[in-house]
DNA sequence: TCAAGCATACTGATATAGCAGATTTTCGGT
DNA sequence: ACCGAAAATCTGCTATATCAGTATGCTTGA
Protein backbone atom coordinates (compact mmCIF):
# COMPACT_ATOMS: atom_id res chain seq x y z
CA UNK A 1 0.00 0.00 0.00
CA UNK A 2 1.34 3.39 -0.94
CA UNK A 3 2.15 5.76 1.89
CA UNK A 4 2.50 8.72 -0.44
CA UNK A 5 -0.77 10.37 0.51
CA UNK A 6 0.29 13.04 2.97
CA UNK A 7 -2.48 14.65 4.99
CA UNK A 8 -2.81 16.53 8.22
CA UNK A 9 -4.04 13.54 10.16
CA UNK A 10 -4.46 9.81 9.75
CA UNK A 11 -8.21 10.05 10.08
CA UNK A 12 -8.32 12.54 7.22
CA UNK A 13 -6.22 10.17 5.15
CA UNK A 14 -8.53 7.27 5.87
CA UNK A 15 -11.52 9.44 5.07
CA UNK A 16 -10.18 10.44 1.67
CA UNK A 17 -9.19 6.91 0.71
CA UNK A 18 -12.47 5.31 1.76
CA UNK A 19 -14.59 8.03 0.23
CA UNK A 20 -12.80 7.58 -3.05
CA UNK A 21 -13.38 3.84 -2.97
CA UNK A 22 -17.08 4.26 -2.35
CA UNK A 23 -17.49 6.92 -5.01
CA UNK A 24 -15.66 4.85 -7.60
CA UNK A 25 -17.85 1.88 -6.84
CA UNK A 26 -14.96 -0.26 -5.61
CA UNK A 27 -17.05 -0.69 -2.49
CA UNK A 28 -20.46 -1.44 -4.01
CA UNK A 29 -23.78 -0.64 -2.40
CA UNK A 30 -24.40 -2.95 0.54
CA UNK A 31 -20.74 -3.90 0.95
CA UNK A 32 -19.85 -4.53 4.58
CA UNK A 33 -16.71 -2.79 5.83
CA UNK A 34 -14.75 -3.74 8.92
CA UNK A 35 -12.91 -1.14 10.96
CA UNK A 36 -10.18 -3.58 11.94
CA UNK A 37 -9.48 -4.92 8.48
CA UNK A 38 -9.24 -1.44 7.04
CA UNK A 39 -7.03 -0.39 9.92
CA UNK A 40 -4.46 -3.09 9.27
CA UNK A 41 -4.68 -2.50 5.53
CA UNK A 42 -3.97 1.21 5.88
CA UNK A 43 -1.37 0.59 8.54
CA UNK A 44 -3.03 2.59 11.27
CA UNK A 45 -5.02 2.10 14.42
CA UNK A 46 -8.75 1.46 14.54
CA UNK A 47 -9.38 4.94 15.86
CA UNK A 48 -8.67 7.10 12.82
CA UNK A 49 -10.60 4.61 10.73
CA UNK A 50 -13.55 4.85 13.08
CA UNK A 51 -13.58 8.62 12.81
CA UNK A 52 -13.47 8.42 9.04
CA UNK A 53 -16.32 5.92 8.97
CA UNK A 54 -18.38 8.03 11.33
CA UNK A 55 -17.92 11.01 9.07
CA UNK A 56 -18.87 9.03 6.00
CA UNK A 57 -21.93 7.82 7.82
CA UNK A 58 -22.97 11.35 8.73
CA UNK A 59 -22.63 12.26 5.08
CA UNK A 60 -24.97 9.45 4.18
CA UNK A 61 -22.51 7.22 2.34
CA UNK A 62 -22.48 4.53 5.00
CA UNK A 63 -24.95 3.13 7.48
CA UNK A 64 -24.26 1.18 10.64
CA UNK A 65 -25.87 -0.49 13.60
CA UNK A 66 -24.14 -0.36 16.97
CA UNK A 67 -21.88 -3.35 17.54
CA UNK A 68 -23.29 -5.08 14.48
CA UNK A 69 -21.50 -3.66 11.47
CA UNK A 70 -21.08 -0.94 8.89
CA UNK A 71 -21.86 -1.09 5.18
CA UNK A 72 -22.22 1.09 2.14
CA UNK A 73 -25.68 2.56 2.41
CA UNK A 74 -28.52 0.87 0.57
CA UNK A 75 -30.91 3.64 -0.43
CA UNK A 76 -34.67 3.59 -0.04
CA UNK A 77 -36.83 4.82 -2.87
CA UNK A 78 -38.19 7.57 -0.63
CA UNK A 79 -34.69 8.64 0.26
CA UNK A 80 -33.71 8.90 -3.38
CA UNK A 81 -36.80 10.90 -4.27
CA UNK A 82 -36.26 13.15 -1.28
CA UNK A 83 -32.62 13.56 -2.12
CA UNK A 84 -33.55 14.93 -5.51
CA UNK A 85 -36.04 17.33 -3.96
CA UNK A 86 -33.16 18.83 -2.01
CA UNK A 87 -30.94 18.69 -5.04
CA UNK A 88 -33.51 20.52 -7.12
CA UNK A 89 -33.70 23.28 -4.56
CA UNK A 90 -29.93 23.73 -4.44
CA UNK A 91 -29.17 23.37 -8.13
CA UNK A 92 -31.97 25.72 -9.15
CA UNK A 93 -30.61 28.30 -6.77
CA UNK A 94 -27.14 27.82 -8.24
CA UNK A 95 -28.46 28.10 -11.78
CA UNK A 96 -30.14 31.40 -10.97
CA UNK A 97 -27.00 32.80 -9.41
CA UNK A 98 -24.88 31.58 -12.30
CA UNK A 99 -27.12 33.28 -14.83
CA UNK A 100 -26.89 36.49 -12.84
CA UNK A 101 -23.28 36.82 -11.76
CA UNK A 102 -21.05 34.33 -13.59
CA UNK A 103 -18.14 35.90 -15.43
CA UNK A 104 -17.61 35.63 -19.18
CA UNK A 105 -14.78 33.14 -18.78
CA UNK A 106 -16.86 31.00 -16.42
CA UNK A 107 -19.65 30.92 -18.99
CA UNK A 108 -17.26 29.99 -21.77
CA UNK A 109 -15.73 27.15 -19.77
CA UNK A 110 -19.14 25.82 -18.84
CA UNK A 111 -20.21 25.51 -22.46
CA UNK A 112 -17.01 23.70 -23.42
CA UNK A 113 -17.39 21.37 -20.49
CA UNK A 114 -20.99 20.63 -21.41
CA UNK A 115 -19.94 19.60 -24.89
CA UNK A 116 -17.43 17.13 -23.50
CA UNK A 117 -19.98 15.71 -21.10
CA UNK A 118 -22.55 15.16 -23.84
CA UNK A 119 -19.93 13.50 -26.02
CA UNK A 120 -19.24 10.96 -23.29
CA UNK A 121 -22.81 10.46 -22.14
CA UNK A 122 -23.40 7.22 -24.05
CA UNK A 123 -20.15 5.56 -23.03
CA UNK A 124 -20.15 2.56 -20.73
CA UNK A 125 -17.53 0.54 -18.91
CA UNK A 126 -14.27 2.24 -18.09
CA UNK A 127 -15.17 5.51 -19.82
CA UNK A 128 -18.20 5.83 -17.59
CA UNK A 129 -16.08 7.02 -14.68
CA UNK A 130 -14.61 9.71 -16.88
CA UNK A 131 -18.12 10.78 -17.79
CA UNK A 132 -19.24 10.79 -14.15
CA UNK A 133 -16.20 12.78 -13.14
CA UNK A 134 -16.78 15.38 -15.84
CA UNK A 135 -20.49 15.55 -15.13
CA UNK A 136 -19.70 16.19 -11.50
CA UNK A 137 -17.27 18.88 -12.53
CA UNK A 138 -19.94 20.51 -14.69
CA UNK A 139 -22.30 20.91 -11.80
CA UNK A 140 -19.48 22.10 -9.57
CA UNK A 141 -18.62 24.78 -12.09
CA UNK A 142 -22.21 25.94 -12.14
CA UNK A 143 -22.19 26.21 -8.38
CA UNK A 144 -18.87 28.06 -8.42
CA UNK A 145 -20.23 30.50 -10.97
CA UNK A 146 -22.64 31.70 -8.31
CA UNK A 147 -19.69 32.77 -6.15
CA UNK A 148 -21.26 31.47 -2.99
CA UNK A 149 -19.08 29.04 -1.06
CA UNK A 150 -21.73 27.62 1.29
CA UNK A 151 -23.94 26.83 -1.69
CA UNK A 152 -21.02 25.11 -3.40
CA UNK A 153 -20.38 23.04 -0.30
CA UNK A 154 -24.02 22.06 0.04
CA UNK A 155 -24.20 20.99 -3.59
CA UNK A 156 -20.94 19.11 -3.34
CA UNK A 157 -22.13 17.10 -0.37
CA UNK A 158 -25.43 16.45 -2.06
CA UNK A 159 -23.77 15.37 -5.26
CA UNK A 160 -21.40 12.98 -3.55
CA UNK A 161 -24.31 10.93 -2.26
CA UNK A 162 -25.78 10.55 -5.70
CA UNK A 163 -22.42 9.51 -7.09
CA UNK A 164 -22.71 6.28 -5.18
CA UNK A 165 -25.92 5.49 -6.98
CA UNK A 166 -24.70 6.30 -10.45
CA UNK A 167 -22.02 3.64 -10.29
CA UNK A 168 -24.57 0.86 -10.66
CA UNK A 169 -25.18 -0.07 -14.28
CA UNK A 170 -28.41 0.91 -15.92
CA UNK A 171 -30.72 -1.94 -16.94
CA UNK A 172 -31.66 -0.66 -20.39
CA UNK A 173 -30.43 2.63 -21.73
CA UNK A 174 -33.43 4.74 -22.57
CA UNK A 175 -32.52 7.09 -25.36
CA UNK A 176 -31.80 10.60 -24.15
CA UNK A 177 -31.54 13.85 -26.05
CA UNK A 178 -27.89 13.93 -27.13
CA UNK A 179 -27.39 17.58 -26.24
CA UNK A 180 -28.89 17.66 -22.75
CA UNK A 181 -26.01 19.40 -21.03
CA UNK A 182 -25.10 21.66 -23.90
CA UNK A 183 -28.65 22.95 -24.06
CA UNK A 184 -28.69 23.48 -20.33
CA UNK A 185 -25.36 25.29 -20.37
CA UNK A 186 -26.46 27.53 -23.22
CA UNK A 187 -29.54 28.60 -21.30
CA UNK A 188 -27.58 29.28 -18.12
CA UNK A 189 -25.11 31.38 -20.08
CA UNK A 190 -27.45 33.36 -22.29
CA UNK A 191 -30.94 33.51 -20.83
CA UNK A 192 -32.51 35.14 -17.80
CA UNK A 193 -32.13 33.71 -14.32
CA UNK A 194 -35.77 32.72 -14.35
CA UNK A 195 -35.37 30.71 -17.54
CA UNK A 196 -32.17 29.20 -16.19
CA UNK A 197 -33.97 28.11 -13.06
CA UNK A 198 -36.69 26.33 -14.97
CA UNK A 199 -34.21 24.60 -17.26
CA UNK A 200 -32.24 23.32 -14.30
CA UNK A 201 -35.40 22.18 -12.56
CA UNK A 202 -36.31 20.00 -15.51
CA UNK A 203 -32.75 18.73 -15.75
CA UNK A 204 -32.78 17.55 -12.14
CA UNK A 205 -36.22 15.99 -12.42
CA UNK A 206 -34.98 14.06 -15.43
CA UNK A 207 -31.94 12.91 -13.46
CA UNK A 208 -34.28 11.58 -10.79
CA UNK A 209 -36.01 9.31 -13.29
CA UNK A 210 -32.66 8.09 -14.51
CA UNK A 211 -31.49 7.26 -11.00
CA UNK A 212 -34.72 5.53 -10.03
CA UNK A 213 -34.38 3.25 -13.02
CA UNK A 214 -30.82 2.44 -12.01
CA UNK A 215 -31.63 1.56 -8.43
CA UNK A 216 -34.85 -0.32 -9.02
CA UNK A 217 -33.31 -3.65 -8.08
CA UNK A 218 -31.96 -2.34 -4.76
CA UNK A 219 -35.25 -1.07 -3.41
CA UNK A 220 -36.50 -4.46 -2.28
CA UNK A 221 -33.25 -5.67 -0.71
CA UNK A 222 -34.15 -4.32 2.71
CA UNK A 223 -37.18 -6.61 2.91
CA UNK A 224 -35.69 -9.87 1.68
CA UNK A 225 -32.56 -10.16 3.82
CA UNK A 226 -33.50 -10.04 7.45
CA UNK A 227 -29.85 -10.74 8.22
CA UNK A 228 -28.96 -7.12 7.85
CA UNK A 229 -25.26 -6.88 8.43
CA UNK A 230 -24.10 -10.25 7.18
CA UNK A 231 -20.57 -11.10 8.27
CA UNK A 232 -20.18 -14.23 6.25
CA UNK A 233 -19.71 -13.91 2.53
CA UNK A 234 -22.87 -13.97 0.50
CA UNK A 235 -22.69 -15.80 -2.83
CA UNK B 1 -24.20 16.19 36.87
CA UNK B 2 -27.36 14.33 36.01
CA UNK B 3 -26.92 10.86 34.56
CA UNK B 4 -30.54 10.63 33.57
CA UNK B 5 -29.98 11.19 29.87
CA UNK B 6 -30.05 7.67 28.47
CA UNK B 7 -28.76 7.29 24.95
CA UNK B 8 -27.37 4.53 22.80
CA UNK B 9 -23.79 5.63 23.21
CA UNK B 10 -21.72 8.03 25.26
CA UNK B 11 -20.65 9.97 22.21
CA UNK B 12 -24.30 10.53 21.29
CA UNK B 13 -24.94 11.74 24.82
CA UNK B 14 -22.03 14.17 24.66
CA UNK B 15 -23.21 15.35 21.28
CA UNK B 16 -26.69 16.13 22.49
CA UNK B 17 -25.52 17.91 25.61
CA UNK B 18 -22.94 20.05 23.86
CA UNK B 19 -25.21 20.88 20.97
CA UNK B 20 -27.86 22.04 23.38
CA UNK B 21 -25.38 24.25 25.19
CA UNK B 22 -24.23 25.89 22.00
CA UNK B 23 -27.75 26.41 20.72
CA UNK B 24 -28.90 27.94 23.97
CA UNK B 25 -25.98 30.31 23.94
CA UNK B 26 -24.47 28.91 27.13
CA UNK B 27 -21.33 28.47 25.06
CA UNK B 28 -21.19 31.85 23.30
CA UNK B 29 -19.61 32.46 19.92
CA UNK B 30 -15.84 32.20 20.14
CA UNK B 31 -15.88 30.23 23.40
CA UNK B 32 -12.98 27.77 23.58
CA UNK B 33 -13.90 24.23 24.59
CA UNK B 34 -11.48 21.62 25.91
CA UNK B 35 -11.98 17.94 25.25
CA UNK B 36 -10.45 16.92 28.57
CA UNK B 37 -12.41 19.31 30.72
CA UNK B 38 -15.66 18.29 29.13
CA UNK B 39 -14.71 14.65 29.46
CA UNK B 40 -14.20 14.88 33.21
CA UNK B 41 -17.30 17.01 33.58
CA UNK B 42 -19.48 14.51 31.79
CA UNK B 43 -17.78 11.60 33.49
CA UNK B 44 -16.54 9.89 30.38
CA UNK B 45 -13.34 9.39 28.43
CA UNK B 46 -11.94 11.89 25.96
CA UNK B 47 -12.91 9.68 23.06
CA UNK B 48 -16.70 10.05 23.00
CA UNK B 49 -16.24 13.76 23.55
CA UNK B 50 -13.87 13.96 20.60
CA UNK B 51 -16.37 12.23 18.36
CA UNK B 52 -19.10 14.60 19.47
CA UNK B 53 -16.91 17.63 18.85
CA UNK B 54 -15.90 16.33 15.44
CA UNK B 55 -19.53 15.94 14.52
CA UNK B 56 -20.40 19.42 15.73
CA UNK B 57 -17.51 20.77 13.72
CA UNK B 58 -18.72 19.03 10.58
CA UNK B 59 -22.10 20.61 11.15
CA UNK B 60 -20.48 24.01 11.31
CA UNK B 61 -21.13 24.78 14.96
CA UNK B 62 -17.50 24.50 15.98
CA UNK B 63 -14.16 25.20 14.38
CA UNK B 64 -10.76 23.87 15.32
CA UNK B 65 -7.11 23.95 14.43
CA UNK B 66 -5.05 20.77 14.76
CA UNK B 67 -3.40 20.49 18.15
CA UNK B 68 -4.33 24.08 18.98
CA UNK B 69 -7.92 24.10 20.16
CA UNK B 70 -11.61 24.05 19.42
CA UNK B 71 -14.10 26.86 19.83
CA UNK B 72 -17.64 27.83 18.96
CA UNK B 73 -17.47 29.04 15.39
CA UNK B 74 -17.12 32.73 14.70
CA UNK B 75 -18.97 33.38 11.45
CA UNK B 76 -17.71 35.46 8.55
CA UNK B 77 -20.05 37.86 6.84
CA UNK B 78 -19.67 35.90 3.60
CA UNK B 79 -20.52 32.70 5.39
CA UNK B 80 -23.68 34.20 6.85
CA UNK B 81 -24.79 35.56 3.50
CA UNK B 82 -24.03 32.25 1.82
CA UNK B 83 -25.82 30.37 4.53
CA UNK B 84 -28.97 32.30 3.80
CA UNK B 85 -28.63 31.61 0.09
CA UNK B 86 -28.79 27.92 0.91
CA UNK B 87 -31.54 28.49 3.39
CA UNK B 88 -33.58 30.38 0.82
CA UNK B 89 -33.25 27.50 -1.63
CA UNK B 90 -34.39 24.94 0.93
CA UNK B 91 -37.16 26.91 2.59
CA UNK B 92 -38.63 28.01 -0.71
CA UNK B 93 -38.74 24.40 -1.82
CA UNK B 94 -40.43 23.47 1.45
CA UNK B 95 -42.95 26.29 1.11
CA UNK B 96 -43.90 25.11 -2.36
CA UNK B 97 -44.36 21.55 -1.20
CA UNK B 98 -46.34 22.65 1.83
CA UNK B 99 -48.73 24.68 -0.32
CA UNK B 100 -49.21 21.66 -2.55
CA UNK B 101 -49.49 18.67 -0.27
CA UNK B 102 -49.95 19.72 3.36
CA UNK B 103 -53.01 18.28 5.04
CA UNK B 104 -55.81 20.39 6.49
CA UNK B 105 -54.71 19.74 10.07
CA UNK B 106 -51.13 20.66 9.24
CA UNK B 107 -52.31 23.94 7.77
CA UNK B 108 -54.45 24.67 10.80
CA UNK B 109 -51.60 24.00 13.22
CA UNK B 110 -49.25 26.18 11.23
CA UNK B 111 -51.53 29.18 11.47
CA UNK B 112 -51.96 28.77 15.19
CA UNK B 113 -48.23 28.42 15.65
CA UNK B 114 -47.58 31.52 13.58
CA UNK B 115 -49.86 33.55 15.82
CA UNK B 116 -47.96 32.45 18.91
CA UNK B 117 -44.65 33.26 17.28
CA UNK B 118 -45.72 36.75 16.31
CA UNK B 119 -47.04 37.38 19.80
CA UNK B 120 -43.60 36.60 21.24
CA UNK B 121 -41.54 38.31 18.56
CA UNK B 122 -40.86 41.48 20.53
CA UNK B 123 -39.90 39.77 23.77
CA UNK B 124 -36.35 39.88 25.05
CA UNK B 125 -34.40 38.25 27.82
CA UNK B 126 -35.64 34.91 29.09
CA UNK B 127 -38.68 34.83 26.83
CA UNK B 128 -36.45 35.14 23.81
CA UNK B 129 -35.50 31.46 24.02
CA UNK B 130 -39.15 30.53 24.00
CA UNK B 131 -39.60 32.65 20.91
CA UNK B 132 -36.58 31.09 19.20
CA UNK B 133 -37.79 27.63 20.04
CA UNK B 134 -41.26 28.29 18.66
CA UNK B 135 -39.89 30.00 15.58
CA UNK B 136 -37.73 26.98 14.92
CA UNK B 137 -40.75 24.76 15.38
CA UNK B 138 -42.71 26.85 12.89
CA UNK B 139 -40.16 26.28 10.16
CA UNK B 140 -39.90 22.63 11.04
CA UNK B 141 -43.64 22.26 10.67
CA UNK B 142 -43.48 23.87 7.25
CA UNK B 143 -40.81 21.41 6.22
CA UNK B 144 -42.78 18.49 7.61
CA UNK B 145 -45.84 19.59 5.70
CA UNK B 146 -43.95 18.83 2.51
CA UNK B 147 -43.72 15.18 3.58
CA UNK B 148 -40.14 14.85 2.44
CA UNK B 149 -37.77 13.61 5.11
CA UNK B 150 -34.47 14.49 3.42
CA UNK B 151 -35.68 18.05 2.92
CA UNK B 152 -36.67 18.23 6.59
CA UNK B 153 -33.24 17.00 7.60
CA UNK B 154 -31.48 19.50 5.37
CA UNK B 155 -33.53 22.38 6.73
CA UNK B 156 -33.03 21.22 10.29
CA UNK B 157 -29.27 21.16 9.91
CA UNK B 158 -29.30 24.52 8.20
CA UNK B 159 -31.50 26.03 10.87
CA UNK B 160 -29.35 24.78 13.71
CA UNK B 161 -26.41 26.79 12.46
CA UNK B 162 -28.41 29.98 12.38
CA UNK B 163 -29.68 29.33 15.91
CA UNK B 164 -26.20 30.00 17.19
CA UNK B 165 -26.28 33.43 15.66
CA UNK B 166 -29.70 34.40 16.92
CA UNK B 167 -28.64 34.06 20.53
CA UNK B 168 -26.61 37.25 20.39
CA UNK B 169 -28.65 40.32 21.33
CA UNK B 170 -29.67 42.78 18.69
CA UNK B 171 -28.15 46.27 18.92
CA UNK B 172 -31.29 48.28 18.22
CA UNK B 173 -34.60 46.67 17.43
CA UNK B 174 -35.77 47.94 14.10
CA UNK B 175 -39.51 47.87 14.00
CA UNK B 176 -40.90 44.88 12.12
CA UNK B 177 -44.37 44.21 10.79
CA UNK B 178 -46.11 42.61 13.77
CA UNK B 179 -47.79 39.89 11.71
CA UNK B 180 -44.82 38.62 9.71
CA UNK B 181 -45.30 34.95 10.45
CA UNK B 182 -49.06 34.98 10.43
CA UNK B 183 -49.08 36.56 6.99
CA UNK B 184 -46.56 34.02 5.75
CA UNK B 185 -48.53 31.11 7.18
CA UNK B 186 -51.76 32.37 5.66
CA UNK B 187 -50.18 32.50 2.23
CA UNK B 188 -48.68 29.02 2.56
CA UNK B 189 -52.04 27.64 3.61
CA UNK B 190 -54.33 29.38 1.16
CA UNK B 191 -52.44 30.52 -1.92
CA UNK B 192 -50.74 28.78 -4.82
CA UNK B 193 -47.34 27.16 -4.49
CA UNK B 194 -45.85 29.89 -6.64
CA UNK B 195 -47.15 32.63 -4.37
CA UNK B 196 -46.03 30.66 -1.33
CA UNK B 197 -42.54 30.38 -2.77
CA UNK B 198 -42.21 34.10 -3.30
CA UNK B 199 -43.54 34.91 0.16
CA UNK B 200 -41.02 32.57 1.74
CA UNK B 201 -38.24 34.00 -0.36
CA UNK B 202 -38.91 37.46 0.97
CA UNK B 203 -39.22 36.11 4.49
CA UNK B 204 -35.77 34.55 4.33
CA UNK B 205 -34.17 37.59 2.76
CA UNK B 206 -35.59 39.66 5.57
CA UNK B 207 -34.17 37.22 8.10
CA UNK B 208 -30.75 37.68 6.52
CA UNK B 209 -30.84 41.41 7.18
CA UNK B 210 -31.87 40.78 10.75
CA UNK B 211 -29.01 38.35 11.32
CA UNK B 212 -26.42 40.58 9.69
CA UNK B 213 -27.38 43.38 12.04
CA UNK B 214 -27.01 41.05 15.00
CA UNK B 215 -23.57 39.78 14.08
CA UNK B 216 -22.07 43.06 12.93
CA UNK B 217 -19.73 43.26 15.89
CA UNK B 218 -18.36 39.75 15.33
CA UNK B 219 -17.29 40.27 11.75
CA UNK B 220 -14.05 42.07 12.61
CA UNK B 221 -12.93 39.75 15.39
CA UNK B 222 -10.98 37.52 13.05
CA UNK B 223 -8.69 40.39 12.05
CA UNK B 224 -7.92 41.86 15.45
CA UNK B 225 -6.88 38.81 17.46
CA UNK B 226 -4.02 37.05 15.71
CA UNK B 227 -3.83 34.66 18.66
CA UNK B 228 -6.82 32.77 17.42
CA UNK B 229 -7.35 30.00 19.90
CA UNK B 230 -6.58 31.79 23.12
CA UNK B 231 -6.26 29.43 26.05
CA UNK B 232 -6.01 32.04 28.71
CA UNK B 233 -9.16 33.87 29.67
CA UNK B 234 -9.86 36.97 27.66
CA UNK B 235 -11.48 39.83 29.52
C1' DT C 1 -34.81 -33.78 9.62
C1' DC C 2 -35.17 -29.98 12.25
C1' DA C 3 -35.20 -26.60 15.93
C1' DA C 4 -33.41 -24.66 20.19
C1' DG C 5 -29.47 -23.55 22.82
C1' DC C 6 -24.91 -22.48 23.47
C1' DA C 7 -19.99 -21.46 22.20
C1' DT C 8 -17.21 -18.86 19.32
C1' DA C 9 -15.72 -15.25 16.52
C1' DC C 10 -16.75 -11.20 15.02
C1' DT C 11 -18.52 -6.21 15.49
C1' DG C 12 -18.32 -1.37 17.36
C1' DA C 13 -17.64 1.33 21.83
C1' DT C 14 -14.78 2.95 25.44
C1' DA C 15 -10.88 3.70 28.77
C1' DT C 16 -6.09 4.57 29.43
C1' DA C 17 -1.59 5.99 28.28
C1' DG C 18 1.57 8.41 25.75
C1' DC C 19 2.99 11.35 21.68
C1' DA C 20 3.66 15.62 18.95
C1' DG C 21 2.55 20.21 18.14
C1' DA C 22 0.76 24.93 19.77
C1' DT C 23 0.32 28.25 23.29
C1' DT C 24 1.49 30.40 27.37
C1' DT C 25 4.53 31.51 30.93
C1' DT C 26 8.90 32.07 32.95
C1' DC C 27 13.37 33.65 33.13
C1' DG C 28 17.66 35.64 31.76
C1' DG C 29 20.02 39.34 29.25
C1' DT C 30 20.10 44.05 27.59
C1' DA D 1 11.26 48.30 31.52
C1' DC D 2 11.75 45.55 27.38
C1' DC D 3 12.62 41.67 24.39
C1' DG D 4 13.68 36.94 23.12
C1' DA D 5 14.53 32.16 24.15
C1' DA D 6 13.64 28.17 26.87
C1' DA D 7 10.56 25.69 29.89
C1' DA D 8 6.10 24.44 31.36
C1' DT D 9 1.46 23.56 30.14
C1' DC D 10 -2.09 22.82 27.33
C1' DT D 11 -4.02 21.11 23.00
C1' DG D 12 -5.64 17.40 19.80
C1' DC D 13 -4.05 12.88 17.90
C1' DT D 14 -2.99 7.96 17.93
C1' DA D 15 -1.97 3.22 19.67
C1' DT D 16 -3.17 -0.56 22.65
C1' DA D 17 -6.15 -3.16 25.43
C1' DT D 18 -10.53 -4.34 27.06
C1' DC D 19 -15.65 -4.42 27.28
C1' DA D 20 -20.22 -5.41 25.59
C1' DG D 21 -23.41 -6.67 22.06
C1' DT D 22 -24.33 -9.22 17.56
C1' DA D 23 -24.05 -12.78 13.99
C1' DT D 24 -22.77 -17.34 12.98
C1' DG D 25 -22.24 -22.09 13.31
C1' DC D 26 -22.01 -26.11 15.84
C1' DT D 27 -23.99 -29.20 19.09
C1' DT D 28 -27.60 -31.46 21.21
C1' DG D 29 -31.97 -33.14 21.78
C1' DA D 30 -36.48 -34.42 19.94
Amino acid sequence: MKETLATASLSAEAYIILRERILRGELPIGQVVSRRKIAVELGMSMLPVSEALQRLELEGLLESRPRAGTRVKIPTEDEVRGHYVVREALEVQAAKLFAEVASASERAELQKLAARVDALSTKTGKDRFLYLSLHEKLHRRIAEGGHCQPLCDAIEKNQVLASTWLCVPRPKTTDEPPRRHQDLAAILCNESSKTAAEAMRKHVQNALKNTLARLESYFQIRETGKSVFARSVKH
Side-chain angles (χ1 to χ4, degrees), chain A:
Chain A
M1 187 55 48
K2 287 185 295 185
E3 309 279 350
T4 56
L5 181 57
T7 55
S9 67
L10 291 181
S11 69
E13 183 181 331
Y15 169 77
I16 292 175
I17 292 176
L18 291 173
R19 182 182 130 130
E20 187 69 15
R21 287 189 188 173
I22 298 173
L23 261 46
R24 297 185 67 85
E26 298 172 24
L27 296 175
I29 290 178
Q31 174 71 252
V32 174
V33 298
S34 160
R35 285 159 153 73
R36 289 164 219 269
K37 286 175 187 167
I38 291 177
V40 301
E41 181 194 347
L42 299 184
M44 60 181 73
S45 161
M46 234 177 75
L47 219 78
V49 176
S50 286
E51 285 182 13
L53 291 186
Q54 186 202 344
R55 185 170 168 188
L56 290 167
E57 183 177 356
L58 290 174
E59 292 176 358
L61 271 63
L62 296 177
E63 58 187 343
S64 73
R65 276 186 15 199
R67 294 187 167 88
T70 305
R71 67 179 177 195
V72 180
K73 178 151 186 172
I74 301 175
T76 304
E77 180 168 354
D78 282 345
E79 286 170 353
V80 174
R81 297 194 113 96
H83 172 86
Y84 274 89
V85 171
V86 175
R87 178 161 194 159
E88 180 187 304
L90 297 173
E91 296 270 15
V92 164
Q93 183 80 302
K96 280 159 82 170
L97 281 178
F98 186 97
E100 286 171 7
V101 305
S103 72
S105 65
E106 285 169 335
R107 289 168 200 261
E109 193 202 336
L110 189 73
Q111 303 221 46
K112 273 194 285 188
L113 199 53
R116 293 179 63 195
V117 168
D118 279 336
L120 288 168
S121 67
T122 60
K123 296 295 183 66
T124 61
K126 215 177 62 179
D127 279 344
R128 173 143 182 86
F129 287 111
L130 179 57
Y131 165 75
L132 287 177
S133 147
L134 279 182
H135 181 265
E136 191 178 321
K137 191 174 184 177
L138 178 78
H139 282 277
R140 184 162 52 234
R141 287 284 180 275
I142 294 174
E144 288 169 358
H147 299 112
C148 175
Q149 193 56 43
L151 182 60
C152 288
D153 295 344
I155 288 178
E156 160 97 20
K157 257 197 198 164
N158 183 279
Q159 188 164 233
V160 157
L161 227 182
S163 296
T164 314
W165 308 334
L166 297 177
C167 288
V168 330
R170 190 164 183 178
K172 46 184 174 184
T173 51
T174 63
D175 41 14
E176 299 183 10
R179 293 178 45 89
R180 279 211 333 151
H181 298 94
Q182 288 176 78
D183 291 344
L184 175 65
I187 292 176
L188 293 197
C189 292
N190 304 314
E191 306 287 333
S192 72
S193 69
K194 198 158 187 161
T195 312
E198 277 318 302
M200 179 59 88
R201 194 179 304 280
K202 279 180 186 160
H203 184 85
V204 172
Q205 287 170 357
N206 201 302
L208 167 60
K209 286 182 196 167
N210 183 331
T211 303
L212 283 178
R214 274 210 158 69
L215 294 178
E216 209 167 351
S217 62
Y218 284 94
F219 290 149
Q220 284 96 10
I221 285 185
R222 227 170 260 271
E223 326 303 327
T224 64
K226 279 312 293 177
S227 68
V228 257
F229 285 81
R231 284 169 188 169
S232 61
V233 194
K234 289 282 183 60
H235 53 98

